[in-house]
Amino acid sequence: MVDVRELKENNPDFALVLDTKDDKLPNTFDLAYKRVPVHDVTVGSYILVGAGESVPVDCEVFQGNATITIEHLTGEVKPLEAKVGDRIPGGARNLDGRIIVKVTKTWKESTLSKIVQLTEEAQSNKPKLQRWLDDFGERYSQVVVVLSIAIAVIGPLLFKWPFISTSACRGSIYRALGLMVAASPCALAVAPLAYAIAISSCAKKVKLVVCGAQQKAKNNKPTPAMFHWIESCIRPISTQGILLKGGHVLDALASCRTIAFDKTGTLTTGGLVFKAIEPIYGHHVRNNESNVSSCCIPTCEKEALAVAAAMEKGTTHPIGRAVVDHSEGKDLPSVSVESFEYFPGRGLTATVNNIESGTGGAKLLKASLGSIDFVTSFCQSEDESEKIKEAVNTSSYGSEYVHAALSVNQKVTLIHLEDRPRPGVFNVIQELQDEAKFRVMMLTGDHESSARRVASAVGINEFHCNLKPEDKLSHVKDSSREMGGGLIMVGEGINDAPALAAATVGIVLAHRASATAIAVADVLLLRENISAVPFCIAKSRQTTSLIKQNVALALTSIVMASLPSVMGFLPLWLTVLLHEGGTLLVCLNSVRALNEPSWSWKHDILYLMSQIKSRLLSLKTNIMGSNSIITANL
């Protein structure tokens, strides 16, 4: 809550919105602006951000360059260079320079607002065990009070105890007070503390190991060289920037035994690169033997690229971004989109005109862009559909690339793009399979060849391709029933939202995720670090284990203090000590949730041994350094 308060305080209350006339771009030579409350800033506005100021909402750099830091959002301490076209999350701080940014999200939809909202929601979403302990504690306290009164009143009648203590025997009132102290549920009440500590360890900024650097800095005058040496000694050992919507998510994660990944943007970088464009059907050919050949019209490929870029302009889909980026700066025919319809997870259709080709003037054309199945669904006959699919299978570029098909008045062009797996994703999959013993699968809307290539590259044996959003939803539900336990869905697109909502736990990479995916997800990964997925699972198992240990410690301390106290074996001061000691022991055990999680006791022992070895080496180095100084003085 302290971090959330700091975020609120550091974010500006007002934004310097530039004046625009008739929705035209602002005059960057004679800037005129007005102070507007952050909550009233609208999408499409232009904001001036000076050096040392914070970016109020999510935006895109329109003009200028600057060095920014997003350390308070993601824990990334390294400054980042922001240039024209780069997206900046709300709350980022401008270290130098002056930039003009274009607002892409309102305050309520911005990254900073979501962080504040989700963190505050997490405080109210209690795990099932914590809710049970709260209800149990209230009834348990009433039972303890009744039992204490019963012992004070009935004890003298049944066991001949005196009411007031004597030198020979402790009185029933004294014993009743001992029971009331020893059996009070303080230790049980703090047992869920591990949930809060685990959530904090996931969201904290950076956890570091410093190899003797702090001691060296204390004993010597700091110099630039020393700071460089200290920086080289710092080793990050935990994933940061993970937001969980409450402690109940940790319980749900610990119960899961199956995990499903989306492909594009999750297992892969999502930054598709345009490779080639290939006319495959319906084009003019050099001979009449086949419809599958290179087009003989020099401008045909340019026309196809112009149509695809016009249809995808302003899109956030990886394929659309790759097409638009590739078309920039090229001499392409002028195309305008008259009507437009989007089919989530499949493709889009449009009516385009004003193609100025070498064969004629303006035309009115029906176009469809998307998967092969989507484009062929508009074919007039089954035979035509089969010929197009055959042409795709016999493509000269093979099946190693991501494919998107464009059909313009029954002339089909194949767009080839390359999608690379995220760095380190292979190790993540291996860890989930070998250490966590998870069933790992991939769910994607891409065609089989692309899905098989990525699955093989990242080490996933089970994958399902050509899936629409409703198909992903069905697979999530069916897999949960087949395997038992829970299922984790990892995604980031709007087409993943139904599956994320239906899964036991939904995890999204928040920086690229759609607003819908963020709304239905249970875990947000702010740094888009896919290695945070096994970290979350290991942390959930560590936390549930600590909770069980806390309950066992609490009950043990209550029993060990209550029975001897009622029997008269313990004085009241020792009963109090045992009771408070049990509560303190539960708290100290909960603090272990700050430690790096592991998959087994073997890993814990190896980690402890490595820490001891590191400490011994550090001690040996310090002793040798001291001896050298003494020898030099002598």
Side-chain angles (χ1 to χ4, degrees):
M1 295 305 295
V2 172
D3 289 338
V4 172
R5 186 167 60 250
E6 289 178 356
L7 285 176
K8 290 181 178 179
E9 292 173 352
N10 292 333
N11 195 66
D13 296 325
F14 294 89
L16 303 181
V17 179
L18 301 181
D19 293 336
T20 56
K21 295 182 180 180
D22 300 327
D23 294 330
K24 293 182 179 179
L25 297 180
N27 182 0
T28 57
F29 298 99
D30 184 18
L31 294 176
Y33 55 82
K34 55 186 177 182
R35 286 166 54 89
V36 177
V38 173
H39 295 80
D40 297 333
V41 175
T42 58
V43 175
S45 302
Y46 294 88
I47 296 177
L48 180 65
V49 181
E53 298 178 353
S54 295
V55 179
V57 293
D58 290 12
C59 57
E60 181 180 298
V61 179
F62 171 71
Q63 185 189 67
N65 298 299
T67 303
I68 65 170
T69 176
I70 53 175
E71 179 182 357
H72 61 295
L73 295 176
T74 65
E76 179 61 63
V77 295
K78 183 180 179 181
L80 305 174
E81 294 297 325
K83 55 185 182 299
V84 175
D86 289 347
R87 291 183 176 271
I88 303 178
R93 183 172 293 278
N94 182 10
L95 300 180
D96 57 29
R98 187 180 71 170
I99 54 176
I100 297 175
V101 296
K102 184 178 181 180
V103 177
T104 57
K105 292 182 180 180
T106 62
W107 162 251
K108 290 184 179 180
E109 298 173 340
S110 68
T111 301
L112 186 62
S113 175
K114 290 289 185 183
I115 292 175
V116 173
Q117 178 185 348
L118 293 174
T119 307
E120 290 175 343
E121 286 179 359
Q123 302 294 322
S124 59
N125 290 335
K126 294 183 178 180
K128 183 178 179 180
L129 177 60
Q130 186 172 355
R131 293 196 302 268
W132 180 85
L133 285 174
D134 289 343
D135 295 337
F136 173 78
E138 184 176 352
R139 297 182 178 88
Y140 175 81
S141 299
Q142 296 172 355
V143 172
V144 170
V145 172
V146 171
L147 284 177
S148 300
I149 295 174
I151 288 175
V153 175
I154 302 176
L157 301 177
L158 294 180
F159 304 104
K160 306 302 181 182
W161 295 335
F163 278 102
I164 305 299
S165 298
T166 63
S167 58
C169 182
R170 301 189 189 277
S172 62
I173 295 178
Y174 191 93
R175 297 170 191 252
L177 290 173
L179 175 64
M180 187 175 295
V181 170
S184 62
C186 298
L188 282 174
V190 298
L193 178 63
Y195 286 120
I197 295 176
I199 292 175
S200 174
S201 70
C202 287
K204 71 184 302 183
K205 306 210 173 17
V206 184
K207 181 179 179 182
L208 302 167
V209 173
V210 182
C211 321
Q214 293 176 338
Q215 187 63 37
K216 183 171 182 178
K218 289 179 181 179
N219 298 335
N220 299 276
K221 183 179 179 180
T223 63
M226 180 181 295
F227 283 120
H228 177 74
W229 179 81
I230 291 175
E231 183 179 1
S232 67
C233 288
I234 296 177
R235 177 173 59 90
I237 64 170
S238 78
T239 307
Q240 56 269 6
I242 304 170
L243 288 182
L244 292 86
K245 295 183 180 179
H248 65 285
V249 177
L250 292 167
D251 285 343
L253 278 170
S255 68
C256 294
R257 292 297 178 269
T258 306
I259 186 168
F261 288 91
D262 173 50
K263 183 180 78 70
T264 306
T266 304
L267 290 176
T268 63
T269 59
L272 293 174
V273 179
F274 189 98
K275 301 300 292 186
I277 187 167
E278 179 186 14
I280 61 170
Y281 182 84
H283 297 258
H284 295 287
V285 294
R286 294 187 176 88
N287 55 67
N288 296 325
E289 297 177 359
S290 173
N291 280 334
V292 183
S293 179
S294 297
C295 188
C296 64
I297 301 176
T299 60
C300 195
E301 292 182 4
K302 287 187 176 182
E303 289 180 356
L305 181 59
V307 172
M311 295 175 67
E312 294 285 11
K313 189 175 183 180
T315 185
T316 58
H317 193 278
I319 291 179
R321 287 200 301 267
V323 171
V324 173
D325 291 345
H326 181 72
S327 67
E328 291 181 353
K330 291 182 170 56
D331 184 18
L332 300 177
S334 176
V335 176
S336 64
V337 178
E338 292 294 317
S339 61
F340 183 89
E341 187 174 3
Y342 176 61
F343 300 84
R346 301 179 62 194
L348 48 93
T349 61
T351 301
V352 297
N353 66 9
N354 292 341
I355 295 184
E356 301 171 357
S357 68
T359 59
K363 300 177 182 179
L364 189 64
L365 305 173
K366 292 287 186 180
S368 59
L369 176 63
S371 65
I372 306 300
D373 290 336
F374 176 73
V375 170
T376 55
S377 66
F378 296 98
C379 292
Q380 297 178 354
S381 65
E382 186 68 27
D383 181 60
E384 183 181 6
S385 175
E386 291 298 326
K387 287 182 179 180
I388 294 175
K389 292 180 179 179
E390 180 184 353
V392 172
N393 294 331
T394 57
S395 168
S396 58
Y397 290 90
S399 60
E400 61 176 311
Y401 296 127
V402 177
H403 295 153
L406 170 69
S407 175
V408 182
N409 275 14
Q410 300 180 351
K411 293 169 63 175
V412 181
T413 304
L414 201 60
I415 300 174
H416 301 274
L417 308 107
E418 186 177 21
D419 191 13
R420 299 182 180 91
R422 285 182 179 273
V425 70
F426 179 83
N427 295 331
V428 169
I429 301 301
Q430 290 298 112
E431 185 176 4
L432 290 172
Q433 292 174 337
D434 299 339
E435 302 293 347
K437 308 302 180 184
F438 262 64
R439 173 193 176 189
V440 182
M441 66 176 70
M442 183 179 73
L443 306 178
T444 179
D446 284 347
H447 56 80
E448 183 177 359
S449 58
S450 175
R452 188 180 300 278
R453 177 180 63 85
V454 173
S456 175
V458 301
I460 295 179
N461 299 322
E462 181 182 354
F463 67 91
H464 304 275
C465 52
N466 298 316
L467 300 179
K468 304 179 185 66
E470 57 269 26
D471 297 329
K472 289 186 179 182
L473 177 61
S474 298
H475 273 284
V476 167
K477 292 181 177 179
D478 294 342
S479 299
S480 297
R481 285 194 297 265
E482 291 173 6
M483 296 297 296
L487 180 142
I488 302 170
M489 177 68 194
V490 186
E492 48 87 36
I494 189 171
N495 58 324
D496 299 323
L500 288 166
T504 308
V505 177
I507 301 177
V508 300
L509 282 69
H511 187 63
R512 299 174 61 94
S514 65
T516 307
I518 291 176
V520 301
D522 301 293
V523 181
L524 303 183
L525 309 182
L526 297 183
R527 291 195 62 189
E528 285 198 64
N529 190 353
I530 199 70
S531 64
V533 174
F535 176 88
C536 287
I537 297 171
K539 176 62 68 175
S540 68
R541 296 184 182 181
Q542 177 197 49
T543 305
T544 54
S545 176
L546 289 175
I547 293 295
K548 294 176 182 177
Q549 295 172 22
N550 285 348
V551 173
L553 287 171
L555 293 176
T556 301
S557 64
I558 289 174
V559 172
M560 290 182 63
S562 299
L563 292 179
S565 180
V566 172
M567 298 301 296
F569 298 150
L570 296 180
L572 193 57
W573 66 268
L574 186 55
T575 302
V576 173
L577 188 63
L578 288 175
H579 170 261
E580 298 301 335
T583 304
L584 181 61
L585 191 61
V586 170
C587 292
L588 292 175
N589 191 56
S590 298
V591 174
R592 292 173 55 207
L594 290 174
N595 295 338
E596 194 76 2
S598 63
W599 297 109
S600 65
W601 285 102
K602 180 181 178 181
H603 290 173
D604 287 336
I605 294 174
L606 291 176
Y607 176 75
L608 180 61
M609 292 176 63
S610 67
Q611 290 293 305
I612 295 174
K613 184 178 179 180
S614 176
R615 294 290 178 86
L616 291 176
L617 288 175
S618 177
L619 181 62
K620 181 179 179 181
T621 302
N622 291 335
I623 293 175
M624 292 178 63
S626 301
N627 291 337
S628 299
I629 294 174
I630 294 173
T631 303
N633 292 333
L634 292 175

